[in-house]
Amino acid sequence: GDKAFAQFLTDEIKEEKKIQKHKSLPKISGGWELEVHGTEAKLVRKIAGEKITVTFNINNSIPPSAEEDTQEQQKPDEQEPELTSTPNFVVEVIKDDTKQSLVLDCHFPEDEIGHEGEEESDIFTIREVSFQPPGEADWKDTNYTLNTDSLDWALYDHLMDFLADRGVDNTFADELVELSTALEHQEYIKFLEDLKSFVKCQ
């Protein structure tokens, strides 16, 4: 059984490498520095007196595909629809002269993806906003967190503009999806390779 499994994995890895779009990870325009630690990626950008970091994790970032849709559109000889990784991402804005960072938790709403042509709508939304001590990995529950569900739309618009002024806009979000998708695919291939070595190991 393990032999067949290893053979299957070998073929699978070949196929995945064939459809791999990016041999190296795509860059994000606007002078963002990329750091990758396993499945977590961090983008950092410094502008006058501020440091902006965007963090996301590719785990569980591929939305479940609706089965019905794929059946309809897929012609028998077509490739499977492309998987896109749309991770939640956290934007942290640290001003040099304060001991606080403003943290905005953003995500891609599932129904928004793929509605091109609606120029006005944002492809990502802000879910929560809070102040956190800079560099804290975990949000403190004791800090007030603003949930945007019940937010005054004018305030929400200002928050979106605040992000856009710092380079986090629709273009950025598109490029983030591309980067995340490439990263996810790269990790998937690496996982298959590790699994193959593991299965073959006597």
Side-chain angles (χ1 to χ4, degrees), residues 103-106 125-130 139 145-148:
V103 180
L104 303 101
D105 184 8
C106 305
T125 58
I126 301 171
R127 234 186 344 201
E128 291 183 340
V129 188
S130 72
W139 287 33
T145 301
L146 175 69
N147 190 309
T148 56

Side-chain angles (χ1 to χ4, degrees), residues 96-159:
D96 294 348
D97 47 7
T98 67
K99 290 284 169 281
Q100 284 178 315
S101 65
L102 183 66
V103 180
L104 303 101
D105 184 8
C106 305
H107 74 143
F108 293 96
E110 294 193 359
D111 47 359
E112 284 297 315
I113 305 297
H115 290 303
E116 261 87 68
E118 299 171 19
E119 279 308 293
E120 288 310 298
S121 74
D122 293 299
I123 58 174
F124 69 94
T125 58
I126 301 171
R127 234 186 344 201
E128 291 183 340
V129 188
S130 72
F131 282 108
Q132 298 293 339
E136 290 288 322
D138 300 314
W139 287 33
K140 291 201 176 354
D141 289 340
T142 50
N143 288 5
Y144 179 76
T145 301
L146 175 69
N147 190 309
T148 56
D149 289 346
S150 50
L151 199 57
D152 175 345
W153 61 266
L155 175 53
Y156 182 83
D157 279 351
H158 279 297
L159 285 168

Side-chain angles (χ1 to χ4, degrees), residues 5 15 30 44 64 70 92 95 141 148 159 165 183 198:
F5 192 7
E15 280 308 299
V44 182
T70 49
E92 189 179 6
K95 289 195 185 270
D141 289 340
T148 56
L159 285 168
D165 290 343
L183 190 59
F198 186 81

Side-chain angles (χ1 to χ4, degrees), residues 42-112:
K42 188 180 195 176
L43 292 155
V44 182
R45 175 176 195 224
K46 291 191 170 71
I47 50 176
E50 291 182 4
K51 176 178 164 190
I52 297 110
T53 62
V54 177
T55 322
F56 65 92
N57 195 316
I58 57 168
N59 279 336
N60 306 320
S61 64
I62 294 190
S65 60
E67 283 303 303
E68 299 80 73
D69 296 356
T70 49
Q71 297 304 316
E72 300 284 299
Q73 303 153 356
Q74 210 171 332
K75 311 202 173 22
D77 54 347
E78 264 185 45
Q79 282 289 312
E80 287 177 28
E82 265 183 48
L83 295 175
T84 312
S85 160
T86 50
N88 298 344
F89 60 98
V90 174
V91 183
E92 189 179 6
V93 179
I94 303 169
K95 289 195 185 270
D96 294 348
D97 47 7
T98 67
K99 290 284 169 281
Q100 284 178 315
S101 65
L102 183 66
V103 180
L104 303 101
D105 184 8
C106 305
H107 74 143
F108 293 96
E110 294 193 359
D111 47 359
E112 284 297 315

Side-chain angles (χ1 to χ4, degrees), residues 179-194:
L179 170 65
S180 182
T181 303
L183 190 59
E184 203 282 333
H185 199 202
Q186 184 176 298
E187 285 295 315
Y188 176 60
I189 292 172
K190 191 164 147 295
F191 174 78
L192 292 178
E193 286 169 340
D194 290 347

